[in-house]
Amino acid sequence: MILSGCFSLIELPVGMGKLINLRHLDITDTKVTKMPADIGQLKSLQTLSTFMVGQGDRSSIGKLRELPYISGKLQIAGLQNVLGFRDALEANLKDKRYLDELLLQWNHSTDGVLQHGTDILNKLQPHTNLKRLSINCFGGTRFPVWLGDLSFFNIVTLHLYKCKHCPFLPPLGQLPSLQVLDIRGMNGVERVGSEFYGNDYLPAKPFTSLETLRFEDLPEWKEWLSFRGEGGEFPRLQEFYIKNCPKLTGDLPIQLPSLIKLEIEGCNQLLVSLPRFPAVRKLKMLKCGNVLSQIQYSGFTSLESLVVSDISQLKELPPGLRWLSINNCESVESPLERMLQSNTHLQYLEIKHCSFSRFLQRGGLPTTLKSLSIYNSKKLEFLLREFLKCHHPFLERLSIHGTCNSLSSFSFGFFPRLTHLEISDLERLESLSITIPEAGLTSLQWMFIRGCTNLVSIGLPALDSSCPLLASSQQSVGHALSSLQTLTLHDCPELLFPREGFPSNLRSLEIHNCNKLSPQEDWGLQRYSSLTHFRISGGCEGLETFPKDCLLPSNLTSLQISRLPDLKSLDNNGLKHLALLENLWVDWCPKLQFLAEQGFEHLTSLKELRISDCASLQSLTQVGLQHLNCLRRLCISGCHKLQCLTEERLPASLSFLEVRYCPLLKRRCKFREGQDWHCISHIPCIVIDDQAF
């Protein structure tokens, strides 16, 4: 019985214990808060996603004893409702030999110390066959004695999450198969020492199989006493994360011969110097005190990716570095110039929340770049004026996200390999032009423009690179940008798109909240045989019918119409030639009264129809849904005045019908009693306001 994703389901049916042959029960992502009283009668049950311990029903956890064949993954939630260790003992988890994964979950809102918490967790000891264990929001003050015991030699993954009242970590170092250890939200831990590595009297190295180690959100952690034995404590560790441990000063493990990825973030008091990690390929250091200034990058001979803040502490870059991200740095140009001198292989550069105070010297950014992304950095004109004039033969992706206060226009240089261009939130940008070389900009495939509130024109010149912006040109852009396949224009209220045409091979066109871009017949969209997806959302004030005749191309397969404030009806003349249309979405059109007065009978390929939040829509009978013989999914929501769905039986092809927040329509579709029930009863899956039939 698969009930996952039934978000409104609050209770399992009474008498469920009669399903004595039931083998699978999945209640993931539901609101079920307790198990049926007769759950123990399901003796054949093999998989149970979640066992909920209900409030005031503390002994219900004992029903798990009666389910001997539970296997795979099991979550036991609501453990704060277990008040005594005897109740926990009744669950008999120790004999659940077929379980691979166990998640023990207390209520995350329980902040106080849990009385008898340690005793309860002690009695929830699982079978030693277990491979993955998670303990979440445990309210006790000590971890159980079995956690870390050598008998759990099969444990591969262990998560400890928000166990706030435990002052010490459990002795995990001697678990021979442990590969992933994730520790988060341990507010009570101030020191990590020998207790973490296991029994002091055991000569074996700790954590011999560990590959991934994460410490995150340990606000009181101050000291780490590293293992001093020969060979170090993490001989196979490949990924190491320390995040949001603001009081940690040191030490850190120094013998990590297999380490590939290291991330230290939000550790402002960390004072240690990192040793040489010759195998590290990815290094992230954000808000981590003075650690950056003490790094000897000559020891990071394999480093390929570096994410840092305050690069003023850096003197050089590793010569083989390919990916660099700089965060929160004032006057970034000086250290950037200094670092770029020592690196000739940089391909990916990301600049976040930085500021420039002058132009870059010594040739600007390297011509080896394949990707440049800039986010919310000040005085970008110092960087962009020169960059956009330079030849970057390998650049493939360019993303620029606010803020640029003085540049009112962009003119792009010769980027022959540019495939993705994204520009957003440049409020003062008025014009955008792309200079096309004689051979054409043959690589650009994807263009996204958003939040440029003063942008008026986008110039895409034709083959002659000297021609003016397209707004004043009579030449076509069809051949100049024949590679462009996706164009998205978002929140540009002043933008006037030229009528001369779109790139000839455009496949997807989306226009969102561009008030002056109302689709017109003379745009020539009907001539673009490659265009298969079109979305119009917001703006278009005064537009009462859509789409007009000969506006859209006949090859269109997806059409989305959204947030058109004055739209009253869909134009049948504009839809009748869309014989290949498979998906039609209409939403948030408050004045829409008719979908199509003459019906949808020409939409012979339509597979999915979605209508939502159209407050004035009253009937769909004129649409002729019964004639849509390819229709598979019909979803209607938020149409409060909609009274009638159909007068005839819906097509046999329909496999899914969803009706939500349509009170009048809900009454007509009522199970076995509604006026329209006979027209929909054959549909395999019907969902009406979270009730499935």
Side-chain angles (χ1 to χ4, degrees):
M1 183 180 294
I2 309 301
L3 301 174
S4 59
C6 297
F7 305 110
S8 298
L9 182 65
I10 60 175
E11 188 175 1
L12 292 173
V14 176
M16 195 168 179
K18 297 178 181 179
L19 303 176
I20 57 174
N21 293 318
L22 188 66
R23 295 189 178 185
H24 308 284
L25 177 59
D26 188 349
I27 56 172
T28 306
D29 296 325
T30 68
K31 295 180 180 179
V32 173
T33 58
K34 64 179 182 179
M35 306 309 290
D38 54 358
I39 186 73
Q41 297 180 27
L42 303 179
K43 308 291 185 182
S44 300
L45 205 59
Q46 296 179 6
T47 59
L48 175 62
S49 64
T50 308
F51 188 97
M52 298 294 305
V53 182
Q55 189 172 8
D57 191 18
R58 69 181 195 181
S59 63
S60 68
I61 191 173
K63 298 294 195 311
L64 280 170
R65 172 184 288 272
E66 303 170 35
L67 306 176
Y69 302 113
I70 294 295
S71 62
K73 179 180 178 180
L74 171 65
Q75 176 187 13
I76 305 178
L79 283 169
Q80 71 280 356
N81 295 321
V82 179
L83 302 182
F85 68 88
R86 291 184 177 84
D87 298 323
L89 184 61
E90 280 295 308
N92 197 29
L93 293 183
K94 204 170 183 178
D95 286 346
K96 298 290 186 288
R97 65 178 62 225
Y98 304 112
L99 277 182
D100 293 325
E101 183 172 356
L102 178 63
L103 193 159
L104 302 175
Q105 175 78 52
W106 283 257
N107 192 328
H108 62 83
S109 63
T110 305
D111 292 327
V113 176
L114 182 65
Q115 189 177 11
H116 307 303
T118 300
D119 292 335
I120 291 172
L121 188 52
N122 255 323
K123 301 306 180 184
L124 292 175
Q125 177 177 343
H127 194 278
T128 55
N129 286 346
L130 197 71
K131 295 179 180 179
R132 291 173 291 277
L133 174 65
S134 298
I135 300 176
N136 293 356
C137 304
F138 171 56
T141 56
R142 296 192 319 276
F143 286 105
V145 294
W146 55 263
L147 186 56
D149 189 273
L150 285 172
S151 61
F152 285 89
F153 53 86
N154 288 306
I155 288 285
V156 174
T157 302
L158 178 60
H159 297 268
L160 303 177
Y161 178 67
K162 285 191 175 182
C163 303
K164 297 181 179 180
H165 303 291
C166 292
F168 299 105
L169 297 178
L172 304 174
Q174 302 303 320
L175 294 175
S177 302
L178 186 63
Q179 296 179 10
V180 178
L181 177 57
D182 191 339
I183 299 173
R184 309 191 196 198
M186 301 281 290
N187 292 13
V189 172
E190 296 185 8
R191 191 193 73 154
V192 174
S194 59
E195 77 288 342
F196 180 50
Y197 300 111
N199 193 326
D200 290 337
Y201 299 101
L202 288 175
K205 294 179 183 179
F207 298 107
T208 54
S209 298
L210 195 66
E211 297 178 355
T212 300
L213 174 62
R214 178 186 292 269
F215 292 101
E216 187 169 340
D217 297 325
L218 277 69
E220 301 300 323
W221 185 22
K222 300 175 183 178
E223 185 179 18
W224 189 348
L225 301 178
S226 297
F227 179 76
R228 298 304 181 186
E230 184 180 351
E233 60 269 62
F234 302 110
R236 295 187 181 179
L237 193 67
Q238 297 181 17
E239 297 186 12
F240 187 18
Y241 307 86
I242 304 178
K243 296 188 177 184
N244 302 325
C245 302
K247 296 184 180 181
L248 181 63
T249 58
D251 286 327
L252 297 182
I254 59 174
Q255 299 186 50
L256 304 174
S258 303
L259 194 64
I260 295 175
K261 184 175 183 179
L262 173 61
E263 294 189 7
I264 303 177
E265 184 175 351
C267 303
N268 294 318
Q269 297 187 29
L270 198 60
L271 301 175
V272 298
S273 60
L274 294 181
R276 296 184 177 186
F277 294 133
V280 167
R281 297 177 186 173
K282 296 182 179 181
L283 177 62
K284 183 176 183 180
M285 308 288 287
L286 297 177
K287 299 179 181 179
C288 53
N290 295 319
V291 177
L292 273 178
S293 62
Q294 303 180 46
I295 296 179
Q296 299 295 324
Y297 285 104
S298 58
F300 288 76
T301 54
S302 302
L303 192 63
E304 298 177 352
S305 172
L306 176 62
V307 180
V308 294
S309 57
D310 190 12
I311 61 170
S312 61
Q313 299 182 34
L314 295 178
K315 298 179 180 179
E316 60 179 356
L317 289 180
L321 193 71
R322 299 179 183 274
W323 203 99
L324 174 63
S325 177
I326 305 171
N327 298 258
N328 301 294
C329 184
E330 300 292 330
S331 299
V332 70
E333 61 280 345
S334 294
L336 186 59
E337 289 169 345
R338 184 173 64 248
M339 290 188 301
L340 292 177
Q341 271 189 312
S342 61
N343 183 281
T344 58
H345 298 89
L346 196 65
Q347 297 181 356
Y348 304 91
L349 177 60
E350 185 178 73
I351 301 173
K352 292 183 176 181
H353 306 288
C354 296
S355 68
F356 293 82
S357 58
R358 61 172 174 81
F359 293 107
L360 287 178
Q361 300 174 357
R362 300 167 184 163
L365 297 179
T367 57
T368 55
L369 284 181
K370 289 185 176 181
S371 174
L372 174 62
S373 301
I374 306 172
Y375 299 89
N376 300 316
S377 296
K378 299 177 182 178
K379 298 186 179 180
L380 277 180
E381 56 272 18
F382 286 117
L383 174 67
L384 293 178
R385 284 186 193 278
E386 295 302 318
F387 174 77
L388 296 175
K389 295 178 183 178
C390 295
H391 179 72
H392 288 272
F394 304 106
L395 192 70
E396 298 175 355
R397 292 174 176 266
L398 177 60
S399 300
I400 304 172
H401 305 264
T403 308
C404 189
N405 294 326
S406 63
L407 277 180
S408 60
S409 64
F410 279 1
S411 181
F412 290 87
F414 184 18
F415 304 147
R417 296 190 182 182
L418 190 68
T419 60
H420 284 65
L421 174 62
E422 182 174 3
I423 297 175
S424 68
D425 302 318
L426 299 183
E427 295 181 356
R428 295 197 179 186
L429 185 65
E430 295 179 0
S431 63
L432 173 68
S433 64
I434 298 179
T435 302
I436 306 296
E438 185 173 349
L441 189 58
T442 57
S443 299
L444 189 62
Q445 299 177 8
W446 188 88
M447 186 186 297
F448 182 92
I449 313 293
R450 182 183 64 188
C452 299
T453 53
N454 287 307
L455 183 64
V456 176
S457 64
I458 299 177
L460 304 174
L463 289 175
D464 183 3
S465 61
S466 64
C467 73
L469 293 180
L470 190 60
S472 59
S473 173
Q474 298 301 315
Q475 300 189 46
S476 169
V477 302
H479 299 290
L481 283 177
S482 59
S483 60
L484 190 66
Q485 297 179 5
T486 300
L487 176 61
T488 301
L489 306 171
H490 209 309
D491 293 315
C492 299
E494 301 299 321
L495 183 61
L496 299 172
F497 208 87
R499 296 182 177 181
E500 284 77 4
F502 292 84
S504 58
N505 289 326
L506 200 65
R507 295 183 181 180
S508 173
L509 175 61
E510 295 194 4
I511 302 173
H512 306 259
N513 298 323
C514 299
N515 296 337
K516 296 185 178 181
L517 283 180
S518 182
Q520 304 292 331
E521 182 180 342
D522 51 8
W523 280 15
L525 291 180
Q526 69 278 9
R527 297 192 301 270
Y528 292 92
S529 58
S530 297
L531 190 65
T532 58
H533 171 75
F534 180 68
R535 180 175 182 180
I536 181 73
S537 175
C540 302
E541 295 182 3
L543 185 67
E544 296 186 356
T545 62
F546 181 85
K548 293 186 178 180
D549 191 17
C550 297
L551 175 65
L552 300 176
S554 59
N555 285 341
L556 207 65
T557 60
S558 174
L559 175 61
Q560 298 180 19
I561 303 168
S562 178
R563 299 181 185 275
L564 301 187
D566 298 317
L567 186 68
K568 294 182 178 179
S569 68
L570 299 187
D571 192 330
N572 189 71
N573 290 326
L575 294 174
K576 63 183 181 182
H577 64 285
L578 301 182
L580 300 180
L581 192 68
E582 296 181 358
N583 300 282
L584 176 59
W585 293 16
V586 184
D587 60 67
W588 294 101
C589 296
K591 296 183 181 179
L592 183 67
Q593 299 176 7
F594 306 101
L595 285 190
E597 294 186 3
Q598 299 178 27
F600 281 177
E601 64 270 13
H602 299 290
L603 303 182
T604 54
S605 300
L606 195 65
K607 296 179 180 179
E608 181 176 18
L609 175 61
R610 289 179 176 266
I611 306 166
S612 66
D613 300 288
C614 297
S616 300
L617 189 64
Q618 298 185 23
S619 177
L620 293 178
T621 55
Q622 79 284 0
V623 172
L625 297 174
Q626 66 274 12
H627 300 303
L628 302 178
N629 293 322
C630 289
L631 192 65
R632 297 176 183 174
R633 295 177 64 90
L634 175 60
C635 304
I636 305 170
S637 66
C639 300
H640 301 288
K641 294 184 179 180
L642 186 59
Q643 301 180 40
C644 190
L645 185 64
T646 179
E647 293 179 349
E648 299 182 37
R649 192 175 185 269
L650 290 181
S653 60
L654 198 60
S655 59
F656 181 80
L657 170 65
E658 181 180 48
V659 177
R660 295 181 186 269
Y661 313 117
C662 303
L664 302 179
L665 187 58
K666 176 182 178 180
R667 191 178 306 136
R668 294 182 64 98
C669 295
K670 188 175 181 180
F671 181 66
R672 293 183 178 177
E673 298 179 10
Q675 292 175 264
D676 292 344
W677 177 253
H678 68 285
C679 298
I680 64 174
S681 59
H682 63 287
I683 301 173
C685 183
I686 301 175
V687 177
I688 300 180
D689 281 348
D690 296 323
Q691 284 188 312
F693 304 99

